[in-house]
Amino acid sequence: MRIAIVADWLTTYGGAEHVLEQLYALWPKAPFFTTVARPANVGPLSTADIRTTSLQHLYRLTKNHQMLLPLMPRAIESIDLSGFDVVLSSSHAVAKGVIVPPTARHICYCHTPMRYAWEMEEEYLRDFNIRWPLKKPIKKMLGKIRRWDLATTQRVDHFISNSSETQRRIKNIYGRDSVVVPPPVSERFFSYDRAKNGALEYYLALGRMVPYKRFDLLIELANKLRLPLKIGGVGSEFAALKKMAGPTVEFLGFVSDDDLPSLYAGAKALLFPQYEDAGIVPMEAMACGTPVIAYGKGGVTDVIEDAVTGILVPDQSVEAFETALKRFESMQFNSESVRAAVMKFHEKEFQKKILAAVGAAPLLSA
């Protein structure tokens, strides 16, 4: 049985690539098809058999895969999957639109229906600083992608969603059912001893520096309360956020995977103000025994139990997070209970669920 794995793009190593890493562990001989790639940036996936489309030539010139989004539907449809029996797509944008042979099964692990097309049009325009003369044609382009995204839903035989939030959105937007399999948490986070870090003196936030992640909210909070806050990550908003930060805010820039466990474990709590369909960062922090203070909407509600493993904040505002922080400081959290709550998301459990979802036994010999 021949298996192919399809990804939107492979230009950096993030949450979607954690999922792909586990698929690679299960099927190390399966080729990875994608629109564009920068193998040196994708960690363990760099040794996979990565095959790109003709967009790779443009990507080498632009170095920006987001700019190529309007061309990606046609590129993903150009991928030739002749001879494959099972196609596994990992999709938050275009991968699910791949055309598979009529005899093959297409199983899509959906991180979210394409948010720039369905819910984040204005964020897309802001992220890329689109000026008014271009807004109308860009909105027209996003509308075209939205129609294509909906039309390609029928190319998928089975959907796997990464959270109950994504499951709901798949049902509402695509009219399709799905099985929930949360993203995997690596073993190295569970095996780290939080006691090694001694006194816990800072709060932590991690992620790409883009507007919807709401690091601005946390910086305003830290400035107001003189809160010791470490922020890890890079992105388009890095310079602007650094400019607004007070003396108690430390920017770490890119944080390597090797440094993450000790960083999580040394924090009083992880602060997570964004609305995400799912999020690997809170799960990794909890695997290290660190509680999470998060905006209580989206995928985090599958993971965090209020007052047991963290605090769910009702509003995405400085005031609401200030109230939650005061509540947190008056409470005690048991690190082992926090860690135990995410054991069901261990990478080995993820692999078992994926094998079960795709039919396990017939695929094990691939």
Side-chain angles (χ1 to χ4, degrees):
M1 185 171 288
R2 296 191 64 203
I3 297 173
I5 298 170
V6 181
D8 297 308
W9 47 76
L10 288 171
T11 59
T12 188
Y13 191 80
E17 287 69 34
H18 277 84
V19 168
L20 290 169
E21 182 185 348
Q22 296 305 315
L23 300 184
Y24 185 32
L26 288 170
W27 298 289
K29 294 181 181 179
F32 279 67
F33 294 90
T34 190
T35 55
V36 296
R38 191 181 295 182
N41 284 14
V42 292
L45 297 174
S46 62
T47 57
D49 176 9
I50 298 174
R51 306 178 189 182
T52 58
T53 68
S54 58
L55 281 186
Q56 185 70 9
H57 302 297
L58 281 175
Y59 177 63
R60 289 194 185 103
L61 295 173
T62 64
K63 307 296 184 185
N64 188 322
H65 65 267
Q66 293 98 328
M67 288 179 61
L68 302 175
L69 183 63
L71 304 176
M72 285 185 177
R74 180 171 292 184
I76 208 77
E77 290 179 337
S78 73
I79 294 173
D80 184 3
L81 294 172
S82 300
F84 289 99
D85 304 297
V86 176
V87 175
L88 296 172
S89 64
S90 170
S91 184
H92 56 82
V94 298
K96 77 166 184 57
V98 71
I99 298 172
V100 306
T103 56
R105 275 194 303 153
H106 179 187
I107 300 163
C108 175
Y109 187 95
C110 185
H111 303 273
T112 177
M114 196 187 314
R115 294 192 73 182
Y116 280 137
W118 290 102
E119 294 179 349
M120 295 178 64
E121 184 176 282
E122 292 304 318
E123 285 86 345
Y124 182 89
L125 297 175
R126 283 201 304 270
D127 283 1
F128 296 101
N129 199 26
I130 305 297
R131 302 299 182 183
W132 70 264
L134 293 175
K135 281 190 176 182
K136 188 172 181 179
I138 292 294
K139 286 189 174 188
K140 185 177 179 180
M141 176 271 291
L142 290 173
K144 186 176 180 180
I145 289 179
R146 186 159 49 244
R147 291 188 294 275
W148 175 85
D149 185 50
L150 190 60
T152 60
T153 302
Q154 299 310 312
R155 297 176 186 175
V156 177
D157 294 302
H158 304 285
F159 275 100
I160 300 172
S161 49
N162 64 356
S163 69
S164 58
E165 173 74 8
T166 298
Q167 184 183 52
R168 179 190 64 78
R169 296 186 70 240
I170 289 172
K171 186 67 174 179
N172 289 348
I173 295 172
Y174 296 153
R176 297 290 300 275
D177 293 324
S178 62
V179 174
V180 176
V181 178
V185 182
S186 299
E187 165 61 30
R188 67 180 180 278
F189 298 107
F190 290 99
S191 58
Y192 193 89
D193 182 5
R194 184 167 161 86
K196 288 181 184 178
N197 290 70
L200 307 176
E201 298 177 346
Y202 61 87
Y203 289 90
L204 177 67
L206 289 171
R208 288 183 299 115
M209 302 289 178
V210 292
Y212 89 90
K213 297 284 189 178
R214 296 308 313 271
F215 288 111
D216 60 315
L217 185 158
L218 296 184
I219 291 171
E220 189 176 338
L221 177 68
N223 290 347
K224 180 179 181 181
L225 302 180
R226 299 191 64 79
L227 194 73
L229 173 64
K230 294 180 184 285
I231 301 178
V234 294
S236 60
E237 295 291 295
F238 186 88
L241 291 170
K242 197 166 185 179
K243 188 175 181 180
M244 69 177 288
T248 64
V249 180
E250 179 184 357
F251 287 83
L252 305 175
F254 172 77
V255 180
S256 71
D257 278 357
D258 290 341
D259 293 333
L260 278 174
S262 62
L263 188 62
Y264 282 130
K268 290 183 178 181
L270 176 81
L271 303 182
F272 197 77
Q274 58 262 48
Y275 167 35
E276 298 274 17
D277 298 292
I280 190 67
V281 168
M283 294 160 66
E284 289 176 346
M286 291 170 66
C288 293
T290 301
V292 180
I293 302 173
Y295 176 43
K297 184 177 179 182
V300 293
T301 59
D302 291 344
V303 180
I304 300 167
E305 184 179 353
D306 190 72
V308 178
T309 59
I311 291 178
L312 293 172
V313 185
D315 298 306
Q316 201 176 34
S317 67
V318 172
E319 293 73 23
F321 269 81
E322 182 178 359
T323 300
L325 202 63
K326 290 177 180 176
R327 182 182 169 212
F328 174 81
E329 293 281 8
S330 70
M331 301 170 68
Q332 289 189 336
F333 290 84
N334 183 281
S335 293
E336 289 310 309
S337 297
V338 172
R339 190 193 306 267
V342 290
M343 277 300 298
K344 59 187 174 183
F345 306 127
H346 190 286
E347 60 186 13
K348 295 301 180 185
E349 293 301 314
F350 174 85
Q351 290 183 4
K352 289 177 186 177
K353 290 173 182 176
I354 288 294
L355 287 170
V358 302
L363 305 182
L364 283 172
S365 60

